[in-house]
Amino acid sequence: MAKQGKLIIFSAPSGAGKTTIVKHLLTKFPELEFSVSATTREPRGDEEIDKAYHFISKEEFLHLIAKKQFVEFEEVYSGTFYGTLRTEIERIWKKGKTVIFDIDVEGGLHLKRKYNGAALAIFVQPPSLEVLKERLTGRGTDSEEKLKERFAKAEKELNYAPRFDIILKNNDLQTACKDAEELVKNFLK
Ligand code: ADP
Ligand code: 5GP
């Protein structure tokens, strides 16, 4: 077992901008490494296999659940599973690095409860539900049906913000990235 290190959790409804902010932070802080989740969804856009996600079948996912390989997992959308592998966190801590997550709201709170003070849980807040919908539609990666499912979930998830350590407003992207850099810098000290 690796020595326990730190964790930085970015959670938000889909479309709030967490992937964009996490990617930015990874270019700025070599001491961070991204936790690659496992998922049963298909790769989309320019996502690289085993970099964006470990894309696996539902059978394989269920097998990993049975073998207790997940620190947390969720059926984030109906029939589509996402989960954080134990081995992923261990791998990153072994290198002496801090793990950074892009994870849904329930999963983020789950990790925060588990790791407490070792974890910083950040909720990325869009200016409004309307803007969130525009961003998600503008990203152009989801079908009409998938968009509807994501909007419905987003509306509920926005209420979870106060349960996080910090709410990071993502109105202007550049400002949000700078604010995120400050938060990470202070937490890594
Ligand atoms: P998430 O990972 O939370 O689902 P993304 O990072 O994929 O969100 O962002 C959703 C879309 O919104 C992307 O097309 C991204 O470029 C865009 N975006 C992110 N932040 C902003 C912002 N502050 N202003 C405008 N567009 C943004
Ligand atoms: P997407 O399909 O847009 O990549 O992700 C959908 C949602 O699943 C996002 O909110 C994303 O953060 C979340 N997600 C990604 N990986 C995990 C994970 O390992 N666990 C949980 N609970 N959610 C995840």
Side-chain angles (χ1 to χ4, degrees), residues 151-165:
F151 293 162
K153 188 166 153 74
E155 210 162 344
K156 288 186 206 132
E157 286 181 329
L158 285 172
N159 300 321
Y160 282 70
R163 299 201 207 168
F164 282 74
D165 294 324

Side-chain angles (χ1 to χ4, degrees), residues 12-21 44 102 124 127 131-132 134-136 138-140 150 170-174 176:
S14 195
K18 58 194 178 305
T19 307
T20 310
I21 294 169
R44 79 178 175 224
D102 170 343
V124 181
V131 172
L132 182 93
E134 280 166 25
R135 285 184 191 167
L136 206 45
R139 191 169 70 185
R150 281 169 190 255
N170 181 16
N171 299 4
D172 170 64
L173 182 59
Q174 233 179 340

Side-chain angles (χ1 to χ4, degrees), residues 18 37 41 44 53 72 74 82-83 102-104 150:
K18 58 194 178 305
S37 297
R41 82 152 161 75
R44 79 178 175 224
Y53 285 107
E72 65 75 40
E74 303 266 339
Y82 296 77
D102 170 343
I103 187 172
D104 91 320
R150 281 169 190 255

Side-chain angles (χ1 to χ4, degrees), residues 7 40 60 68 114 119 121:
L7 313 93
T40 62
E60 204 175 332
K68 303 206 180 327
K114 185 171 169 76

Side-chain angles (χ1 to χ4, degrees), residues 87-128:
T87 48
E88 193 60 15
I89 297 180
E90 284 284 315
R91 179 182 71 75
I92 296 169
W93 280 348
K94 264 192 196 138
K95 293 185 186 174
K97 292 192 175 193
T98 293
V99 192
I100 185 164
F101 298 86
D102 170 343
I103 187 172
D104 91 320
V105 167
E106 294 273 3
L109 289 173
H110 190 125
L111 289 180
K112 177 65 193 176
R113 277 196 300 275
K114 185 171 169 76
Y115 294 104
N116 277 311
L120 177 69
I122 301 171
F123 185 93
V124 181
Q125 191 164 56
S128 65

Side-chain angles (χ1 to χ4, degrees), residues 46-113:
D46 58 1
E47 284 179 334
E48 284 184 66
I49 289 168
D50 297 331
K51 286 218 170 139
Y53 285 107
H54 300 298
F55 295 99
I56 62 176
S57 65
K58 200 176 279 178
E59 289 67 37
E60 204 175 332
F61 202 101
L62 295 175
H63 181 64
L64 289 170
I65 295 175
K67 285 178 69 188
K68 303 206 180 327
Q69 290 300 299
F70 289 108
V71 179
E72 65 75 40
F73 69 90
E74 303 266 339
E75 187 176 354
V76 175
Y77 299 109
S78 145
T80 310
F81 292 83
Y82 296 77
T84 304
L85 291 160
R86 254 172 232 297
T87 48
E88 193 60 15
I89 297 180
E90 284 284 315
R91 179 182 71 75
I92 296 169
W93 280 348
K94 264 192 196 138
K95 293 185 186 174
K97 292 192 175 193
T98 293
V99 192
I100 185 164
F101 298 86
D102 170 343
I103 187 172
D104 91 320
V105 167
E106 294 273 3
L109 289 173
H110 190 125
L111 289 180
K112 177 65 193 176
R113 277 196 300 275

